[in-house]
Amino acid sequence: MSETLHGIAVSGGIAIGRAELVRSLRRDVPHYLIDAAAVDAEVQRLRDARSAVAQRLQHMRDAAPHDLPADVAAVFDVHIMLLQDEVSAQGVEAWVRERRYNAEWALASHLEEVVRQFDEIPDDYLRERKADMEQVAEHMLRWLQGQSRRSRRAQAAAAPGEGAAPLALVARDLSPADTLQFRRGLFAGFVTDAGGKTSHTAIVARSLGIPAVVGTRRASEVVHAGEWLIIDGDAGLVIANPTPAELSDYRFRQRQHQIERERLARLKNTPAITRDGRHITLLANIERPADTAAAVDVGAVGVGLLRSEFLFMNRQGKLPGEEEQYAAYRRAVEGMQGMPVTIRTADIGADKPLEAAHPAAASAAALRRLNPALGLRAIRWSLSEPDIFLTQVRAILRAAAHGAVNLLLPMLTHVSEICQALALIARAHEQLDARGIARGPVRIGAMIEVPAAALMVRQFAQHVDFLSIGTNDLVQYTLAVDRTDEDVAHLFDPLHPAVLRLIAGVIAEGVAQGKPVSLCGEIAGDAAMTRLLLGLGLRHFSMHPSRLLAVKQEVLDADTTQLSEWAKEVLASDEPAALLAAG
């Protein structure tokens, strides 16, 4: 008899496959005491595990330039730095040396101690970071026990006449590294007990186009290994042990999805023009220069956001020099074949730290003083390190000699920050001229991603050439919701009236002052939001390349003259989501 579970739809599509269950290795850790003579060998096992896992994560991160969203890349960097943390390593080894625990038992015991420390921290952001420690420990345990979460096709039963059955992964939670195993093509989709719409694994699933449902709370307990599973990534439904009729129905829906994907692919070279003749600019968000190939392949007319953090992360304190940065930015500019590239200056801080935090070694008092999301990050960090900022700006200006480049300043809150940044940019021009090095012109943009910036946009616009709305942070800061915290993830709502009114105000002010406004947050790539954003006056969208064609279809079907009045009704409503669904 089939059983239907309800969760959160995070990545659309239909997946049908045999259930592959992933259970936490911490439940089955072997416990035994070792002889004194075996201590050094057991400690070496721990060190080998750390080294092997760090290398594997680094390889996975480097091998996924097209599919790795920035905040997920930051998680990889944090995990790698946690593995390289000597204080944490010594803490685990102490359980072996002092208590003679075997390596697995020592690792699990140390983790439990650290998790308890996290639970006592009053800061919600830091308390939720315990998931990073748990995921790192899971990777090490997997290595120590000689296991892998990579599924084996031979274990999947075959449906009659259909060959080897695809697999549907079911777990309590998955790390970004686990999710990227989907790249190997073994999994049709995934289901988790935990997670929210904006969790890291959800973002990876969307970027890879893999059906996924999270937040089911009990799928890993209800679903049995090897049974058929249907994952409806559009409705947020999971059907365990479906009936023949349910399988037939969903296989038909799968075929319809495939037909739709093939139809969208034919829109690549179609200009993005609405039915009433409005030209809409569809740009790509990219993480690394190599991602320009994916942007060009789907018909993007430029890069609306190149996140430069990839050059700064996981460097063990050695920051990139001007030549290294220039070479990277030049590759991106040349990769876009004459189309414009917008480079955001380093958004360092919050979930993208230069060095890993070491909660196990830090005092509770120090941890209480930290609130990374509200601390020294993005433009604040750049202005506090003018030499580093000047190095980056010089590299960007030099890359601009090879094509159209825009420079975007992140997380602005004060006009004074813009003025300081402009003064440093002017100095960078002078420094290059003094050295006789070629440079190109750049347009300067202000990123609007905190309520203060949205409310000050009239003043901001007087100092810059364009505006770019970063809705991921704008929603987070407006609603005071950590989008990575599953306990409050349901409150992360881009359709909240306050958020929509801030977005509408920024767009209207940009139009009034003749300054282009782009939107580069997650909602830019949400086709369900396209008509509303067009109605609010948005004409420049920037998104992950995998979302561009679906958004283009919405643009081609839209009439902005009709959408404008409807958007005003949505904006005035206390329940915008209801009007959006009805419209």
Side-chain angles (χ1 to χ4, degrees):
M1 182 176 180
S2 67
E3 181 165 1
T4 300
L5 302 172
H6 297 267
I8 302 170
V10 295
S11 184
I14 305 296
I16 302 174
R18 295 284 187 176
E20 176 83 355
L21 269 61
V22 176
R23 303 196 184 279
S24 172
L25 297 179
R26 289 161 59 195
R27 298 179 180 179
D28 303 311
V29 167
H31 295 66
Y32 57 88
L33 298 175
I34 60 174
D35 295 331
V39 166
D40 288 343
E42 204 70 3
V43 167
Q44 189 60 47
R45 286 184 68 218
L46 284 169
R47 294 176 179 175
D48 290 345
R50 284 183 179 275
S51 176
V53 172
Q55 290 179 17
R56 176 175 173 272
L57 293 182
Q58 185 65 58
H59 174 75
M60 291 183 68
R61 190 199 191 287
D62 294 342
H66 298 297
D67 307 316
L68 208 58
D71 46 4
V72 178
V75 176
F76 270 86
D77 292 326
V78 169
H79 286 190
I80 291 168
M81 287 187 285
L82 286 172
L83 286 161
Q84 295 170 340
D85 175 18
E86 287 300 323
V87 175
S88 177
Q90 291 170 9
V92 179
E93 291 174 11
W95 292 83
V96 177
R97 296 189 185 281
E98 297 171 9
R99 305 196 187 190
R100 306 283 175 83
Y101 285 5
N102 63 296
E104 293 89 344
W105 190 6
L107 180 59
S109 298
H110 182 71
L111 178 63
E112 293 302 325
E113 183 178 81
V114 171
V115 166
R116 282 196 299 273
Q117 292 178 16
F118 267 103
D119 289 337
E120 294 170 359
I121 297 172
D123 183 276
D124 290 339
Y125 180 88
L126 287 171
R127 189 167 60 247
E128 289 303 320
R129 300 286 67 78
K130 70 180 181 181
D132 293 320
M133 298 292 293
E134 291 173 330
Q135 289 169 0
V136 166
E138 282 283 331
H139 287 302
M140 287 186 63
L141 285 171
R142 187 184 318 160
W143 190 92
L144 287 167
Q145 297 187 37
Q147 298 179 5
S148 170
R149 281 185 183 164
R150 280 181 287 176
S151 298
R152 293 162 292 279
R153 288 188 183 275
Q155 292 180 343
E162 295 181 359
L167 301 177
L169 199 64
V170 181
R172 186 197 172 278
D173 197 8
L174 294 169
S175 73
D178 294 326
T179 313
L180 282 178
Q181 293 294 339
F182 290 124
R183 294 172 57 81
R184 302 175 184 275
L186 292 179
F187 302 107
F190 80 81
V191 181
T192 62
D193 298 343
K197 199 172 186 68
T198 55
S199 62
H200 296 120
T201 48
I203 293 172
V204 172
R206 281 196 294 276
S207 71
L208 300 180
I210 296 167
V213 175
V214 302
T216 61
R217 298 192 178 276
R218 60 193 189 98
S220 64
E221 299 173 2
V222 172
V223 176
H224 300 290
E227 71 181 4
W228 282 102
L229 200 67
I230 295 172
I231 302 172
D232 187 337
D234 298 311
L237 297 178
V238 178
I239 304 176
N241 192 30
T243 66
E246 288 170 327
L247 278 172
S248 177
D249 177 42
Y250 273 94
R251 283 190 175 126
F252 174 77
R253 296 190 198 185
Q254 266 190 327
R255 290 191 292 271
Q256 295 301 108
H257 272 276
Q258 181 59 36
I259 292 171
E260 177 65 12
R261 283 195 296 269
E262 293 170 356
R263 186 182 66 80
L264 287 176
R266 293 195 289 269
L267 298 178
K268 172 186 173 180
N269 297 316
T270 302
I273 303 174
T274 64
R275 290 167 58 190
D276 58 318
R278 297 279 186 180
H279 287 258
I280 307 301
T281 303
L282 299 183
L283 306 162
N285 293 345
I286 65 173
E287 317 298 333
R288 299 182 178 218
D291 297 354
T292 55
V296 171
D297 190 53
V298 295
V301 296
V303 169
L305 178 65
L306 167 57
R307 300 175 172 97
S308 62
E309 294 78 50
F310 74 95
L311 287 165
F312 292 79
M313 304 304 296
N314 198 32
R315 304 281 302 218
Q316 289 80 53
K318 183 181 180 181
L319 298 181
E322 181 179 327
E323 292 301 323
E324 180 183 351
Q325 292 192 58
Y326 161 63
Y329 303 144
R330 178 177 176 176
R331 286 197 301 274
V333 171
E334 293 176 341
M336 287 310 295
Q337 305 169 17
M339 293 179 282
V341 175
T342 298
I343 303 172
R344 184 180 69 187
T345 59
D347 186 4
I348 297 298
D351 61 348
K352 296 181 280 288
L354 280 181
E355 301 292 341
H358 305 315
S363 68
L367 288 170
R368 291 189 186 100
R369 291 196 299 269
L370 295 175
N371 193 334
L374 303 180
L376 190 67
R377 62 168 293 195
I379 195 64
R380 301 171 181 177
W381 177 78
S382 292
L383 294 178
S384 73
E385 300 284 352
D387 290 339
I388 297 175
F389 185 61
L390 281 167
T391 298
Q392 180 170 32
V393 172
R394 288 195 303 269
I396 293 172
L397 294 176
R398 290 173 62 186
H402 303 278
V405 171
N406 304 318
L407 187 154
L408 185 58
L409 303 171
M411 203 184 168
L412 295 163
T413 54
H414 296 276
V415 170
S416 62
E417 292 170 333
I418 300 177
C419 294
Q420 290 177 63
L422 291 176
L424 288 170
I425 292 169
R427 189 190 305 176
H429 278 280
E430 295 170 356
Q431 290 173 338
L432 290 175
D433 289 344
R435 290 159 52 188
I437 296 178
R439 59 177 174 82
V442 296
R443 295 166 68 248
I444 309 298
M447 201 157 190
I448 310 300
E449 49 190 337
V450 299
L455 296 172
M456 289 288 291
V457 69
R458 178 175 301 177
Q459 290 77 11
F460 281 19
Q462 295 170 9
H463 297 273
V464 297
D465 301 305
F466 69 97
L467 304 165
S468 181
I469 306 173
T471 54
N472 295 353
D473 272 334
L474 184 60
V475 176
Q476 172 171 267
Y477 287 119
T478 301
L479 303 183
V481 171
D482 179 356
R483 62 198 181 100
T484 66
D485 182 346
E486 66 184 73
D487 292 331
V488 294
H490 63 286
L491 299 174
F492 187 89
D493 181 14
L495 285 171
H496 190 287
V499 174
L500 291 181
R501 290 164 195 171
L502 288 175
I503 292 173
V506 173
I507 295 171
E509 192 59 45
V511 171
Q513 297 203 32
K515 300 294 173 71
V517 179
S518 66
L519 192 149
C520 60
E522 277 278 301
I523 67 172
D526 185 348
M529 294 285 289
T530 303
R531 294 169 65 251
L532 176 59
L533 294 172
L534 289 171
L536 293 176
L538 186 69
R539 299 295 180 260
H540 303 270
F541 296 68
S542 190
M543 68 206 76
H544 191 281
S546 67
R547 314 296 296 174
L548 193 141
L549 293 175
V551 170
K552 181 182 282 191
Q553 179 65 76
E554 292 295 322
V555 169
L556 297 174
D557 291 340
D559 184 328
T560 60
T561 58
Q562 296 178 2
L563 291 176
S564 179
E565 290 302 315
W566 170 71
K568 290 178 182 177
E569 294 179 21
V570 175
L571 204 61
S573 172
D574 292 335
E575 296 292 341
L579 286 180
L580 189 69

